[in-house]
Each structure stands twice: as structure tokens, then as C-alpha cells.
Amino acid sequence: MTIQIGTKPHNFSDPTALMSDCHRRVEMFLGTLSAVAEFRGRPLTGDEQNSLDRALEYFREAAPKHTADEEESLFPRLRAIPDSEVQSVLEDMAQLERDHKNAAPLHAKIDWLGRLWLREGKLTQEYVQQLQSSVALLVALYRAHIGFEDRVLFPLASRTLSSSQKDEIAQEMAARRALPRPARVV
């Protein structure tokens, strides 16, 4: 996972940069899940419990908003742009949507196993194997997914979306999070 020291998170004036910032959080919490899965179901310390709980909560509460940012706000606007470069990535966007659908049952399984671990204090070896397998699949899925979006899709969107489209996306993102409406993009 890449961590940049001294960088500031983006704001609503650049919604795709905000989505990329979210990817850093996804990577951070995937790192947490990967580390915890290596504890092999043993009783967790208080700090480990807190870390697992925060990661589970992030994927349960915040990650679905990010998916909606992409599927409900960004992707439809990109599909409507009659630009050959944008049109060339339409099948890739369809794969990104399939990734979201494929991630959902993995998230549900990990959440169930993680909550069980927190509640019971340990996991059986069968559940440890399920957790490790699910986390590994999720990490692999997100690695490719995030890589494509950060390298190709978000820069393309930033170049091709109009200021008003970016503003609409920003407004929708804020509404999903029940935040005050951001200032208009100029």
C-alpha cells in the first residue's frame, strides 16, 4: 500500500480525485483485513479488535457510497459522452460494475466472519480458512479494479467531463454522505 506523507485529501471540486482518495482508504482497510486474517482466529488484543471493527465498519458503511458514486454518478455520465476514447473503455466500465457485484458477497462473508470473531473472541480453523480465502480474493479483485480506475478511468473522466457534470457528481456524492452541498465547481 502506498502512503503519501504530507498530501492533503481532495475536495468536491475534483470528484474523481475524491474517489481516488477513497481508494487509498480501501487499500488501507484491505491491509488491515489481510493482517488480521493472518492471526488465524486467535483471540485479538483490544487494538486488534478495534482495527478489525473499523475495517468492517468502513466496508459496511462507506464503501457502498463509493460504489454508488461510480455506478450512479460517474459511469452514466461517461457513457453519455460521444468521445472515442471514452467509448473505448465502456467494456472496462462494465467489468468494473461486475467487480462491484462480485465483491458484495465477499464483503458480506468477511463482515459475518469478522463480527463472529469479535463476538466469540476466536474463530475455528474452518472459518479462518474462509476468512483468509475471502480476503485474498477481495484484495486481488480490488488491486486490478483500483489500478484501472486510478490509471485510466479517473484521468479520462477528469479530462472529458464538463465542469457542470463534475459539479453534479460532487453534489450527488455529498448528498449520499448527508454533507452540506459543496460549492459549485468553476
Side-chain angles (χ1 to χ4, degrees):
M1 172 179 63
T2 303
I3 296 176
Q4 296 178 351
I5 305 296
T7 61
K8 294 183 180 179
H10 295 91
N11 59 41
F12 283 104
S13 68
D14 190 352
T16 55
L18 272 179
M19 291 180 203
S20 189
D21 289 346
C22 185
H23 286 167
R24 304 298 73 81
R25 289 184 290 280
V26 167
E27 291 166 338
M28 179 185 71
F29 286 117
L30 284 173
T32 298
L33 292 177
S34 294
V36 170
E38 291 307 311
F39 297 154
R40 308 190 66 72
R42 68 159 169 78
L44 299 172
T45 67
D47 286 344
E48 292 165 347
Q49 289 173 3
N50 289 336
S51 293
L52 175 56
D53 191 46
R54 281 195 323 272
L56 296 173
E57 180 181 8
Y58 176 81
F59 286 115
R60 195 170 47 250
E61 303 295 329
K65 293 177 179 108
H66 175 80
T67 298
D69 294 339
E70 293 178 359
E71 291 190 358
E72 297 172 22
S73 297
L74 179 62
F75 295 174
R77 285 177 176 85
L78 286 174
R79 284 189 175 101
I81 296 175
D83 176 272
S84 61
E85 189 179 7
V86 172
Q87 295 301 307
S88 72
V89 300
L90 289 182
E91 181 52 38
D92 295 309
M93 283 193 296
Q95 178 58 50
L96 296 172
E97 289 170 321
R98 287 189 296 274
D99 288 348
H100 292 153
K101 285 179 182 53
N102 293 335
L106 294 170
H107 280 299
K109 183 71 162 182
I110 292 166
D111 189 69
W112 184 82
L113 290 166
R115 286 182 183 208
L116 177 67
W117 194 353
L118 291 170
R119 188 174 55 251
E120 301 294 324
K122 61 182 180 176
L123 286 179
T124 66
Q125 278 311 112
E126 177 185 351
Y127 285 153
V128 167
Q129 290 171 349
Q130 290 177 27
L131 179 65
Q132 290 175 331
S133 172
S134 296
V135 168
L137 289 169
L138 197 61
V139 166
L141 183 150
Y142 274 121
R143 184 175 295 124
H145 183 99
I146 287 172
F148 178 79
E149 286 181 345
D150 284 346
R151 279 189 333 277
V152 177
L153 192 68
F154 293 167
L156 176 63
S158 188
R159 288 192 311 273
T160 58
L161 291 170
S162 69
S163 291
S164 64
Q165 289 171 312
K166 291 175 186 176
D167 182 58
E168 290 167 356
I169 291 170
Q171 299 294 330
E172 292 165 8
M173 290 173 70
R176 277 184 200 98
R177 291 155 179 81
L179 297 174
R181 293 177 60 87
R184 295 242 177 250
V185 176
V186 220

